[in-house]
């Protein structure tokens, strides 16, 4: 990596402004504590409302529901199973702790037929006939049902000895109504009774009065107990939230802090920084990703240094030869020959080709050079490429064989695909064996959907562990940079970038001592495609 780049990154991590910004932020420990404290507060509020604030409501509603169930069971027994009435009344009174009385009305007389008393202070077992008449009338006026909360203090009004029979009926009714209205919403902190009266008629026309009484126990002691428990629970939960925040933050923040320290080392150019952490899966996956990124950066940095060294070597060689031959032609009479001039021209062309390859590779890697797709005769394109090597085969004895059963059409960028073919053949020529044989084959898959182009050499082969690395720029198996006989040493990198830009598959098959075969596959364009014109068949 560039030292200046490392210096800039180091300054960025250690800058006072960054430190000040980080210092002003809340740590993960306090954030977790705040979240847990809020959640705990929410739970406490819910507990307060449900167990203390609404305790009276739930208790009253529960008792009311029990009376509703008892009402339904006793009513069913009266109307449908009169023989089981006494058994049903006893069961309901025992199960729900209710006082129950059932009257049958014969004319103006109400006669009790079933009774169950579970408390000595039962309200309905102490009422007078006059008060019973009042409850009957209230139930009839309300559609057959009358339910109220009343206080035991009303009992003296229901005692026959305490009733003032000389009062006018209207005055007695006013007294009773006043008592009922006063205790209509009687608080449960005091003794309260829930009175339930139902008037019904059976199939024979007989009228019945069902009276239920449930004592609502005072809840003030229960409420005080729940309040004490509530504050104890609140204290325990808040300390528990603090402990959990510390515990969770350590498990979460420690891996992050370790990876942050390793990232700062990586920014300073220390690619051996240790990102490995243990704990939850997300941190482990992140550490593995950062470790892989560190390895890739280390590898890229190493390749970059090798690239600079190799390019310097390749630039220095032609420049040295150009300068040397030019000085010889200048200083020595008779050396100004066509052969020396040709050497200068060849080295200049080689230098120009190296620069062009570097530019092409940079454009491909940056994504600024995109393929212009068109339908091509792949077979004819490879055959035309072979013509470039006629002089080489005649002069140096190389043999380049090409096998293609039939013309095949593909969709690709002609210039870029030509680079692929040309660079693969150049690579095979540079690394083929003593027989100087290079084979280029074109085969079609069994279903005719894909075509594979293979370029084989008879060289020393490539070790399996080094095969994934050969696509890198200037990568050498023997780690000794030597000048390629043909090309600039960037061919396989260009091949990789071009084929990936075409979204095609490519690869290599190699065995040490048996040579290597580079190949790529492309989808076949069928001959009946309208884009294949008659002139393309030539």
């Amino acid at each position: 990596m560039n030292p200046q780049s490392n210096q800039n990154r180091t300054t960025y991590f250690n800058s006072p402004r960054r430190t000040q910004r980080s210092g002003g932020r809340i740590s993960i420990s306090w954030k977790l504590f705040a979240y847990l404290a809020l959640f705990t507060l929410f739970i406490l509020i819910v507990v307060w409302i449900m167990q203390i604030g609404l305790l009276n409501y739930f208790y009253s509603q529960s008792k009311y529901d029990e009376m509703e169930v008892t009402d339904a069971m006793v009513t069913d027994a009266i109307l449908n199973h009169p023989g089981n009435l006494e058994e049903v009344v006893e069961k309901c009174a025992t199960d729900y702790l209710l006082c129950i009385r059932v009257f049958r009305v014969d004319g103006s007389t109400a006669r009790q037929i079933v009774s169950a008393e579970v408390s000595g202070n039962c309200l309905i077992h102490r009422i007078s006939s006059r008060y019973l008449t009042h409850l009957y009338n209230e139930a009839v006026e309300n559609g057959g049902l009358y339910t109220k909360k009343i206080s035991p203090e009303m009992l003296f009004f229901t005692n026959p000895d305490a009733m003032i029979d000389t009062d006018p009926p209207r005055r007695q009714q006013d007294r009773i109504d006043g008592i009922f209205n006063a205790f209509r919403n009687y608080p449960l902190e005091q003794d309260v009774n829930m009175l339930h009266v139902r008037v019904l008629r059976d199939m024979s026309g007989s009228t019945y009065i069902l009276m239920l009484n449930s004592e609502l126990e005072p809840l003030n002691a229960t409420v005080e107990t729940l309040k004490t428990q509530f504050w104890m629970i609140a204290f325990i939960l808040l300390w528990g939230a603090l402990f959990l925040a510390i515990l969770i933050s350590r498990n979460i923040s420690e891996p992050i802090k370790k990876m942050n320290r390793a990232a700062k080392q990586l920014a300073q150019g220390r690619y051996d920084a240790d990102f490995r952490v243990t704990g939850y899966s997300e941190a482990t996956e992140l550490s593995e990703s950062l470790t892989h990124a560190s390895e890739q950066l280390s590898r890229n940095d190493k390749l970059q240094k090798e690239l600079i060294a190799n390019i310097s070597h390749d630039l220095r060689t032609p420049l040295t030869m150009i300068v040397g031959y030019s000085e010889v032609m200048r200083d020595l009479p008779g050396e100004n020959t066509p052969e020396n001039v040709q050497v200068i021209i060849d080295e200049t062309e080689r230098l120009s080709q190296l620069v062009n390859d570097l530019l092409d590779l940079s454009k491909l890697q940056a994504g600024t050079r995109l393929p212009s797709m068109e339908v091509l005769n792949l077979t004819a394109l490879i055959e035309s490429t072979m013509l470039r090597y006629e002089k080489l085969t005649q002069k140096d004895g190389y043999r380049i064989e090409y096998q293609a059963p039939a013309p095949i059409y593909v969709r690709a960028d002609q210039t870029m695909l030509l680079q692929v073919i040309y660079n693969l053949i150049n690579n095979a020529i540079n690394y083929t064996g003593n027989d100087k044989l290079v084979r280029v084959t074109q085969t079609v898959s069994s279903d005719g959907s894909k075509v594979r182009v293979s370029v084989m050499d008879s060289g020393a082969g490539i070790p399996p562990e080094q095969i994934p690395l050969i696509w890198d720029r200037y990568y050498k198996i023997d780690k000794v940079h030597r000048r390629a006989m043909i090309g600039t040493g960037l061919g396989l990198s260009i091949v990789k970038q071009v084929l990936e830009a075409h979204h095609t598959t490519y690869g290599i098959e190699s065995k040490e001592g048996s040579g290597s075969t580079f190949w790529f596959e492309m989808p076949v364009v069928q001959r009946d495609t309208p884009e294949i014109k008659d002139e393309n068949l030539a």
Side-chain angles (χ1 to χ4, degrees):
M1 294 181 65
N2 191 337
Q4 182 65 31
S5 174
N6 293 336
Q7 183 179 0
N8 291 340
R9 293 193 180 187
T10 303
T11 304
Y12 172 73
F13 275 98
N14 298 330
S15 64
R17 180 180 180 184
R18 183 176 179 85
T19 304
Q20 182 178 0
R21 289 177 59 188
S22 299
R25 296 172 184 168
I26 302 176
S27 67
I28 190 172
S29 302
W30 287 108
K31 280 191 175 182
L32 281 173
F33 174 69
Y35 294 149
L36 289 175
L38 288 175
F39 181 68
T40 303
L41 181 61
F42 171 75
I43 293 177
L44 293 175
I45 292 175
V46 172
V47 170
W48 179 276
I49 293 175
M50 301 298 290
Q51 290 195 348
I52 299 177
L54 298 178
L55 180 62
N56 290 339
Y57 169 79
F58 288 134
Y59 178 63
S60 299
Q61 188 65 34
S62 175
K63 286 295 183 178
Y64 179 78
D65 292 341
E66 290 177 354
M67 296 183 75
E68 287 286 319
V69 173
T70 302
D71 183 1
M73 294 178 65
V74 176
T75 299
D76 179 70
I78 293 173
L79 299 179
N80 302 315
H81 309 285
N84 298 332
L85 178 59
E86 186 172 354
E87 180 182 353
V88 172
V89 168
E90 288 293 336
K91 183 179 186 305
C92 291
T94 303
D95 292 345
Y96 302 122
L97 298 178
L98 297 174
C99 292
I100 305 174
R101 296 183 74 183
V102 179
F103 296 87
R104 176 183 291 164
V105 179
D106 296 325
S108 60
T109 304
R111 181 173 59 87
Q112 177 178 291
I113 58 175
V114 179
S115 174
E117 184 176 2
V118 296
S119 172
N121 295 323
C122 180
L123 179 62
I124 61 176
H125 285 83
R126 301 172 62 186
I127 62 175
S128 65
S129 59
R130 188 184 301 277
Y131 191 59
L132 176 61
T133 302
H134 165 74
L135 295 177
Y136 172 81
N137 293 331
E138 289 287 340
V140 171
E141 291 178 4
N142 285 277
L145 179 64
Y146 181 69
T147 302
K148 290 289 181 181
K149 289 181 184 178
I150 60 176
S151 168
E153 296 177 9
M154 294 180 60
L155 291 177
F156 74 93
F157 289 107
T158 65
N159 192 320
D161 297 333
M163 293 292 291
I164 304 176
D165 296 332
T166 58
D167 285 349
R170 181 68 261 170
R171 188 174 177 182
Q172 294 183 26
Q173 183 67 33
D174 291 342
R175 285 188 179 186
I176 294 174
D177 290 343
I179 295 296
F180 267 88
N181 290 331
F183 294 98
R184 185 171 184 176
N185 296 311
Y186 203 80
L188 293 185
E189 283 74 10
Q190 305 178 36
D191 292 335
V192 176
N193 282 256
M194 183 175 289
L195 187 63
H196 182 93
V197 181
R198 177 176 290 280
V199 177
L200 64 154
R201 289 183 175 83
D202 61 8
M203 299 294 294
S204 63
S206 299
T207 301
Y208 295 86
I209 303 175
L210 170 61
M211 302 182 66
L212 306 176
N213 177 52
S214 176
E215 292 187 43
L216 302 181
E217 299 293 336
L219 298 180
N220 51 341
T222 303
V223 170
E224 291 300 322
T225 302
L226 290 176
K227 286 181 179 180
T228 303
Q229 291 182 348
F230 173 83
W231 293 118
M232 294 177 63
I233 292 173
F235 179 80
I236 295 173
L237 286 179
L238 287 176
W239 276 104
L242 180 60
F243 175 75
L244 284 176
I246 296 174
L247 181 63
I248 295 174
S249 65
R250 284 184 178 178
N251 290 333
I252 294 177
S253 62
E254 284 304 320
I256 297 176
K257 291 178 180 178
K258 182 177 179 181
M259 288 186 286
N260 185 41
R261 291 192 295 266
K264 292 180 179 180
Q265 295 176 2
L266 180 63
Q268 296 172 356
R270 295 176 55 183
Y271 298 109
D272 58 344
D274 185 13
F275 288 95
R276 292 173 298 177
V277 297
T278 57
Y280 49 97
S281 60
E282 291 82 359
T284 303
E285 292 177 2
L286 178 59
S287 68
E288 292 175 354
S289 300
L290 291 174
T291 300
H292 178 70
S294 176
E295 293 172 352
Q296 292 297 317
L297 287 173
S298 176
R299 180 166 164 262
N300 290 338
D301 182 65
K302 185 177 181 180
L303 291 175
Q304 185 180 22
K305 292 177 181 178
E306 291 181 0
L307 175 63
I308 294 174
N310 293 332
I311 290 179
S312 300
H313 178 275
D314 279 349
L315 289 174
R316 188 183 300 113
T317 300
L319 289 174
T320 300
M321 294 186 68
I322 291 173
V323 172
Y325 274 83
S326 299
E327 290 178 348
V328 167
M329 293 170 62
R330 181 195 64 188
D331 298 336
L332 299 178
E335 290 297 326
N336 190 4
T337 62
E339 291 78 7
N340 291 342
V341 174
Q342 187 62 43
V343 171
I344 295 176
I345 293 173
D346 291 341
E347 294 301 323
T348 304
E349 290 178 351
R350 181 175 180 82
L351 187 62
S352 177
Q353 183 182 0
L354 176 61
V355 174
N356 289 334
D357 283 353
L358 285 172
L359 291 175
D360 289 341
L361 186 59
S362 299
K363 291 178 182 179
L364 288 169
Q365 291 178 334
T368 57
R369 183 183 177 188
L370 301 177
S372 177
M373 309 298 281
E374 58 179 327
V375 176
L376 304 173
N377 188 333
L378 177 62
T379 308
L381 186 65
I382 297 176
E383 290 175 349
S384 65
T385 307
M386 296 300 170
L387 299 177
R388 301 187 180 191
Y389 297 96
E390 287 185 357
K391 182 178 179 180
L392 181 66
T393 57
Q394 293 173 3
K395 178 181 177 181
D396 297 327
Y398 284 90
R399 292 181 297 150
I400 304 177
E401 299 178 357
Y402 177 45
Q403 299 176 0
I408 297 297
Y409 292 87
V410 296
R411 194 183 304 276
D413 185 302
Q414 180 172 346
T415 302
M416 297 174 74
L417 188 57
L418 186 61
Q419 278 184 297
V420 171
I421 300 170
Y422 184 70
N423 284 311
L424 288 179
I425 295 176
N426 284 352
N427 182 76
I429 291 174
N430 289 329
Y431 291 98
T432 193
N434 295 329
D435 57 1
K436 296 185 176 182
L437 175 62
V438 175
R439 285 195 178 96
V440 181
T441 59
Q442 173 186 297
T443 56
V444 181
S445 61
S446 58
D447 59 357
S449 63
K450 291 185 178 181
V451 58
R452 172 179 286 202
V453 177
S454 303
V455 180
M456 182 190 70
D457 64 67
S458 58
I462 305 172
E465 67 275 6
Q466 297 187 16
I467 288 179
L469 306 176
I470 61 172
W471 303 102
D472 295 330
R473 297 169 292 186
Y474 279 116
Y475 182 81
K476 302 297 179 183
I477 297 174
D478 55 8
K479 293 302 179 183
V480 178
H481 180 73
R482 61 183 177 88
R483 191 182 187 194
M485 186 182 70
I486 297 179
T488 60
L490 300 174
L492 292 182
S493 293
I494 294 176
V495 168
K496 174 186 176 182
Q497 297 296 330
V498 169
L499 293 178
E500 289 182 352
H502 281 76
H503 305 289
T504 61
T505 56
Y506 62 93
I508 177 176
E509 299 170 359
S510 182
K511 185 178 181 181
E512 291 186 83
S514 301
S516 304
T517 301
F518 289 82
W519 58 269
F520 67 90
E521 290 182 344
M522 302 188 75
V524 174
V525 177
Q526 302 301 324
R527 295 178 64 89
D528 56 355
T529 302
E531 295 177 81
I532 301 179
K533 306 298 182 181
D534 293 338
E535 56 268 25
N536 291 338
L537 299 178

